[in-house]
Amino acid sequence: MTTFVAFTIFFSDLATSYSHPDTLLREEYSFGSFGKATRLAVSPQGFFYIVDEGRSEIQVVKAPSGSPVITGGYGWTSATFDRPTGISTDGLNVYV
């Protein structure tokens, strides 16, 4: 089973004068193919970290229109995962 993730990003520009109404810009981006996406973390820089528990991978998306960088895979070495279930980031480090 393949899962696709889509994000909708809203931007609001509040006008400083009452003569201009507020504007709203809506952009949608779809990216990635996942076996079983279970967790999502967003860094202060705007990077998306997505846990794919089904494939034992972490996908990092640095720009909404960019390709994801895939890290890990199933295994028992320091560069692989055995069904990761959580993720968080403080902006400098990523914790899986």
Side-chain angles (χ1 to χ4, degrees):
M1 179 176 171
T2 301
T3 305
F4 293 96
V5 175
F7 293 98
T8 302
I9 302 171
F10 293 96
F11 299 97
S12 179
D13 179 17
L14 300 175
T16 57
S17 171
Y18 291 110
S19 63
H20 300 290
D22 292 345
T23 58
L24 180 69
L25 172 64
R26 178 179 172 190
E27 296 182 25
E28 291 187 12
Y29 300 97
S30 297
F31 56 87
S33 174
F34 307 94
K36 184 180 176 187
T38 57
R39 298 287 185 262
L40 170 74
V42 181
S43 73
Q45 296 85 4
F47 301 164
F48 293 98
Y49 297 90
I50 303 147
V51 174
D52 188 348
E53 185 179 349
R55 295 182 182 160
S56 296
E57 297 174 341
I58 305 297
Q59 293 194 20
V60 182
V61 180
K62 296 184 178 183
S65 60
S67 305
V69 175
I70 299 171
T71 304
Y74 182 76
W76 296 96
T77 66
S78 62
T80 58
F81 300 105
D82 180 21
R83 299 183 66 195
T85 57
I87 192 164
S88 69
T89 180
D90 61 6
L92 296 175
N93 303 299
V94 177
Y95 304 95
V96 179

